[in-house]
């Protein structure tokens, strides 16, 4: 399973639970916590390690969390903090911004900036719950001045890339036991790619941004599009270019500055998804050729050669390795 840290106030006396939660928050986020529910403050949090990214889930009664300039001077991890409320409502306010958020609104803010967060239970619900990410600022491949305009904005987690990101976060948190620790960095990369693609989608409509920012935004949108259509055997540079209203030659130029060509990257992503399927307990009896076909490798021999080049062993050897007794 993924490397995980879990915390719950259920492990301490009822009268001490709010103070225990305050101590926990001060250690993990350096913020002040207040709540009207001073007695039996039942709260819990999980933090999953995804390489340089941390995925968190939380459940707690209504509360207020304040991060002041003084606390920032004491501890500034230099992170973007993405929140996805799942139950209850949330509001954020900062020096020059204030907004309310509902279920499946994605909200990004900067831990280096003072803010006040209020989380309130909805009618008929006893707790507020949510999930999200802590992402080091340097991992997002977009200019900070461009991202600044998206801080504390309501970004939809109900449609498009936002829905894909929300689904990814909730699924990884729910199924963390089905992954191996070495899957963490790969999952972190996917999380950053999806978040970057969502921000790029919003930024793409801003004509005031420099051309390089628009180029980066388009590349990220293309990467998200590819992830959504990896199962499709008709996914080719031509179809990708047509879907984004650009020429195939321009698509190739976009990826000249990337680590791999668009075709090589698609092939690598398909191999990586096949590798994950081979390691899944639920797919242990699925024939290898069926997994290969699922990711558009129609010739078993080609799949085996490509897999061996990428991972240093055959698909059959990898499956045996992944399911060996611990």
């Amino acid at each position: 399973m993924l490397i995980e840290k879990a915390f719950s106030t259920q492990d301490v006396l009822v009268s001490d639970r709010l103070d225990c939660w305050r101590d926990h928050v001060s250690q993990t986020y350096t913020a002040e916590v207040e709540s009207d529910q001073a007695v039996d403050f039942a709260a819990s949090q999980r933090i999953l390690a995804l390489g340089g990214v941390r995925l968190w889930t939380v459940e707690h009664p209504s509360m207020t969390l304040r991060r002041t300039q003084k606390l920032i001077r004491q501890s500034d991890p230099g992170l973007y903090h993405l929140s996805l409320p799942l139950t209850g409502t949330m509001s954020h306010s900062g020096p020059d911004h204030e907004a309310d958020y509902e279920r499946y609104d994605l909200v990004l803010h900067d831990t280096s900036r003072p803010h006040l967060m209020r989380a309130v239970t909805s009618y008929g619900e006893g707790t507020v719950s949510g999930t999200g990410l802590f992402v080091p600022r340097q991992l997002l491949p977009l200019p900070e001045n461009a991202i600044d305009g998206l801080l504390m904005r309501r970004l939809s987690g109900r449609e498009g890339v936002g829905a894909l990101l929300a689904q990814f976060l909730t699924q990884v948190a729910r199924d963390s036991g089905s992954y191996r620790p070495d899957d963490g960095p790969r999952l972190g990369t996917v999380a950053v790619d999806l978040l970057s693609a969502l921000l790029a989608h919003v930024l793409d409509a801003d004509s005031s941004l420099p051309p390089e920012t628009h180029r980066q935004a388009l590349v990220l949108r293309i990467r998200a599009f590819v992830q959504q259509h990896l199962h499709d055997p008709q996914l080719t540079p031509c179809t990708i270019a047509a879907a984004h209203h650009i020429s195939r030659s321009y698509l190739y130029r976009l990826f000249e500055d990337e680590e791999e060509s668009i075709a090589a990257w698609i092939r690598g992503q398909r191999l990586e998804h096949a590798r994950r399927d081979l390691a899944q307990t639920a797919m242990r009896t699925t024939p290898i050729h069926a997994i290969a076909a699922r990711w558009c490798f129609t010739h078993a021999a080609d799949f085996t050669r490509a897999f061996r080049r990428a991972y240093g062993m055959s698909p059959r050897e990898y499956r045996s390795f992944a399911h060996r007794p611990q």
Side-chain angles (χ1 to χ4, degrees):
M1 63 183 298
L2 295 172
I3 299 172
E4 175 179 328
K5 291 183 179 180
F7 174 85
S8 174
T9 61
Q10 298 288 355
D11 301 329
V12 301
L13 294 173
V14 170
S15 58
D16 295 336
R17 287 178 177 173
L18 180 55
D19 286 338
C20 183
W21 181 251
R22 284 173 173 147
D23 289 342
H24 171 70
V25 171
S26 68
Q27 293 171 18
T28 58
Y29 192 59
T30 316
E32 300 170 346
V33 173
E34 298 295 336
S35 176
D36 293 334
Q37 188 165 329
V39 179
D40 193 13
F41 190 88
S44 61
Q45 184 179 47
R46 297 166 60 218
I47 298 179
L48 301 173
L50 306 182
V53 177
R54 287 180 291 160
L55 186 154
W56 55 265
T57 65
V58 70
E59 186 171 1
H60 54 76
S62 298
M63 73 171 195
T64 298
L65 183 148
R66 179 183 287 103
R67 185 160 164 79
T68 64
Q69 194 66 59
K70 179 180 178 181
L71 292 174
I72 291 169
R73 286 195 296 269
Q74 293 176 10
S75 175
D76 181 12
L79 302 171
Y80 287 121
H81 183 191
L82 180 75
S83 299
L84 174 68
L86 299 175
T87 63
T89 59
M90 183 176 70
S91 66
H92 270 96
S93 58
D96 55 1
H97 191 93
E98 184 169 351
D100 297 322
Y101 312 96
E102 299 177 350
R103 297 174 65 240
Y104 283 88
D105 282 336
L106 289 156
V107 190
L108 187 71
H109 67 267
D110 188 337
T111 60
S112 301
R113 303 186 184 203
H115 64 272
L116 176 71
M117 185 275 289
R118 294 185 180 89
V120 181
T121 57
S122 299
Y123 179 76
E125 296 176 338
T127 58
V128 177
S129 66
T131 187
L133 294 171
F134 287 115
V135 182
R137 280 200 294 266
Q138 66 270 20
L139 291 187
L140 286 183
L142 289 165
E144 286 190 22
N145 62 341
I147 296 176
D148 284 351
L150 302 180
L151 297 177
M152 295 193 183
R153 258 180 82 169
R154 293 179 65 167
L155 305 172
S156 176
R158 305 175 191 84
E159 59 187 7
V161 179
L164 194 63
L165 173 58
Q167 180 184 17
F168 174 81
L169 296 179
T170 54
Q171 182 174 334
V172 171
R174 183 179 63 246
D175 299 336
S176 60
S178 65
Y179 300 101
R180 299 170 60 86
D182 58 2
D183 287 324
R186 299 184 185 96
L187 294 170
T189 298
V190 174
V192 171
D193 284 347
L194 289 173
L195 174 58
S196 300
L198 173 62
L199 301 181
H201 177 77
V202 179
L203 290 171
D204 195 42
D206 190 341
S207 59
S208 66
L209 295 173
E212 178 57 21
T213 300
H214 283 290
R215 191 199 72 82
Q216 292 173 327
L218 179 55
V219 169
L220 291 169
R221 284 175 54 210
I222 289 170
R223 289 188 185 275
F225 176 86
V226 169
Q227 292 288 355
Q228 289 178 288
H229 295 84
L230 277 176
H231 281 299
D232 185 356
Q234 302 303 315
L235 181 70
T236 64
C238 286
T239 58
I240 294 168
H244 292 84
H245 309 291
I246 58 177
S247 68
R248 187 174 59 174
S249 60
Y250 183 62
L251 174 66
Y252 291 146
R253 288 201 301 275
L254 283 173
F255 277 78
E256 284 177 354
D257 294 330
E258 304 296 309
E259 294 181 1
E260 297 177 296
S261 68
I262 182 66
W265 185 72
I266 291 172
R267 188 176 181 83
Q269 289 299 301
R270 284 173 166 163
L271 280 171
E272 177 60 18
H273 281 73
R275 184 200 66 80
R276 292 180 200 168
D277 285 354
L278 289 168
Q280 288 285 340
T281 301
M283 300 188 71
R284 193 170 184 175
T285 60
T286 304
I288 291 175
H289 69 82
I291 290 176
R294 183 180 184 218
W295 297 107
C296 304
F297 292 97
T298 54
H299 299 290
D302 290 345
F303 173 66
T304 298
R305 281 194 295 270
F307 194 95
R308 188 184 293 277
R309 281 197 301 270
Y311 302 108
M313 61 182 75
S314 71
R316 190 177 305 280
E317 290 168 338
Y318 179 81
R319 173 177 266 178
S320 297
F321 172 79
H323 295 290
R324 73 193 189 286
Q326 298 297 315

